[in-house]
Amino acid sequence: MSGFEALWARQVLQHPWLAVLIPLGLAAWLTAGMGQLAFDTSYRAYFSEDNPELLAFERIENTYVKDDNVMLVLAPADGNVFTRDTLSAIEKLTEDAWQTPFSNRVDSITNFQFTEAEADDLTVRDMVSDALSLDADALQSVRNNVMAEPSLVGRLISARGDVTAVNITVQLAPDVRADATQKIMAFVRNAAQELETAHPGLKVYITGMVPFDQVFLESSVYDTTVLFPIALGLMTVCLALLVGGFFGTLTTLLIMFMSIAAAMGAGGHLGFPLTGTSSGIPIIVLTVAVANAVHVLVTFSHGLHDGQDKRAAMGESLRVNLQPVTLASATTAIGFLTMNFSEVPPFAHLGTQVAVGVVVSYLLTVTFLPVLMVLMPAGAGKKKRDEDRLMAGLAETVLTHRKRLLPALLLLVVAAMANLPRNEINDTFLYYFDESLSFRQSTDFMLERLTGIDFINYSGGAGSSGGIAAPAFLADVDKFSDWLRLQPEVRHVDSVAHVMKRLNRNMHGDDPAFYKLPQDRDLAAQYLLLYEMSLPYGLDLNNQIDVDKSQTKITATLETLSSQEMIDFNQRTLTWARANLPAFQEIESAGVSLMFAYIGQRNNYSMLFGTVLALVLISGVMMLALRSLKIGLVSLLPNLAPAGVAFGIWGMTVGKVGMSLSVVAGMTFGIVVDDSVHFLSKYLRARRENGLNAEQAVRYAFRTVGRALLVTSVVLVLGFSVVATSNFTLNSDMGLMTTLIISIALATAFLMLPPLLVRVDHDDAAKASARERLPD
């Protein structure tokens, strides 16, 4: 036996003030960092500053108008947009939308700049003016003009004319983005409500990139204000029922709160923002912080029952639990720290902060908790006879049927893991949010009735100032636009080629035969200049053409695609463009959904490395701590099987592994190891200190740690089950998969590990009887 555990117990109990003040001081210093926390509601928080797709996105944004927007989708009850009442509502909303905070452009079918020829002049006007005064013929004319405009159909008006949209483009600086999002959403929600009140037959749906940012914040607030109290209540009830004792439950709750505060404060010290993902940190820390305290309290309770006084019972509890608790905390922290290999900053931040919470909870468990439990009143301890009989019965059942149980379990593991290839590494960023959220409902309605939310911008350069007017370059823009429209993934294409065709037709007396590109560069440049001079403020072409008129942007609005489908489409498009557009000096692509697609793909591969590293480190730590290569190797199977089986089940039932699940294997490996660490620690203590044979050591492990393992696993399952109810899918999928893995881990610790130990670690009876047996 190592004397360090006994020395630690003695020093903690002999110097209680020192033992309490040092960890409390550390926790207090970490907690002070909470004052530096700030929300970052932007989807950009999920990308590092050097992310290549983000850099490309910003280059295109800096060249043209930014793509941050709010889309107000209007659906009249009569299914006809082209009525006086509905058009007047659109006209009013379009006018009011210019007052949206941070807005710099508003587009709708009513303020679309309609062009027509008058003699030798070009007339540019709003598509609709004073809608309430329009007669039947004028309404029909508006309908004909709108439905004939490729820039509108499939973007701001549905093909059936039953749904339309008002698109508000906003300009947001990074340092004011969170506050700006709140102001924008407050304004547009009020405007939508007022419009629905004034026009009872009109329904307004709100979607776009700014609402996408907002839903990150709202999901975070929901997780913090609703799910966290639920998790806390479950933890408290669970502790009170399964561990027992008012002061033990109270002390454990104090440790949990201090660990959560320290974890969150560590984020403030490190400059981490609060995101939708970080809202899961309190619940996760709350859950994993319980485990250490439970083991110490259960052994303490056993000591009290056996007649020891509080000091002796706590000293023995620390002596027998210090090594496994230290090892379990270390492996859990290592597992969460591997999340730093993630390409997604919020996941890395979560891993670091939870690891801090785990370390703080460990320090408090081996210092603060023992001192308080010794100082507080405590009874003689109540024997959990039913639970002891349960553990004893389970031990006998496992040992009796071990020869059949082990191969059967191995067969089940292999059968489940055979479904691992069914998992497709994929993601769809729209589905990050549950269908119960208004953003998701509005976006689904828009996808079904009007247009898509996924888009990719393709920016091409002509190589010289004013070069976009060159006939060869315009021809390539038109060729590219036509090719994109033929792709099955594309719902709408917006490019300057259509504008040039329309202007050429206008300047030839609106003759349909001249709906084609001008063939003279100077003439095309003159058309463009004349048109831009006629446009009102805020509705110019800077969303399609750069200031120097050397580059243009073609926007492809897409069907809802998975990440792999989007990457394949983008690569296919760039390959075609570079091979077939000789006038393009350069071309690059960017889009929010494209950014998420690429980062999800890279994150999966980087976390694969992180998971392997976690496996190597944790396995090495276990072998060193347990001082047995053989036992360390034996533990690998029950440690690795839970994740393999869980992902196999996921492959059979869901089949898609996205960003959130890519971090689960490494994260949970450290948690899963806790079961085997505590079981093996008690098993080896029985073998080494008491000379028990393998079967007797298994019985001893079940008797001394079985209940604690059951309690901690139930607590973990309950905690992560709460996370699984989050309406933010990145959190809910992680919670669901972790719940599944932990449940399987408990089963493998109880049903697979003991038969393995008996089979591998048997020895002769002489050695087994060399030492005194423990009393029953």
Side-chain angles (χ1 to χ4, degrees), residues 169-201:
T169 305
V170 297
Q171 190 87 6
L172 301 179
D175 57 336
V176 300
R177 192 177 186 97
D179 183 58
T181 298
Q182 301 286 335
K183 293 178 179 177
I184 292 168
M185 291 306 298
F187 181 89
V188 297
R189 283 170 173 167
N190 183 64
Q193 185 177 11
E194 289 182 353
L195 193 70
E196 288 179 337
T197 301
H199 301 269

Side-chain angles (χ1 to χ4, degrees), residues 48-122:
S48 59
E49 293 181 356
D50 59 350
N51 179 275
E53 284 73 44
L54 177 62
L55 294 175
F57 186 76
E58 289 177 340
R59 280 195 298 271
I60 290 181
E61 276 199 330
N62 293 332
T63 303
Y64 312 96
V65 171
K66 293 184 182 295
D67 286 313
D68 289 322
N69 75 311
V70 181
M71 182 84 86
L72 299 172
V73 180
L74 283 66
D78 60 4
N80 182 14
V81 168
F82 300 99
T83 65
R84 279 185 289 272
D85 183 68
T86 300
L87 287 176
S88 67
I90 300 167
E91 195 175 11
K92 178 68 164 57
L93 180 60
T94 301
E95 181 181 351
D96 292 344
W98 284 102
Q99 304 303 314
T100 304
F102 304 96
S103 63
N104 62 358
R105 185 182 182 101
V106 179
D107 291 285
S108 72
I109 62 170
T110 60
N111 78 341
F112 178 79
Q113 296 304 288
F114 180 70
T115 58
E116 58 186 345
E118 286 190 3
D120 293 331
D121 293 329
L122 177 69

Side-chain angles (χ1 to χ4, degrees), residues 721-748:
S721 295
V722 173
V723 177
T725 64
S726 171
N727 50 34
F728 184 38
T729 306
L730 294 184
N731 288 348
S732 62
D733 282 356
M734 181 173 63
L736 181 60
M737 179 61 84
T738 304
T739 298
L740 182 59
I741 291 174
I742 291 171
S743 301
I744 297 170
L746 179 65
T748 57

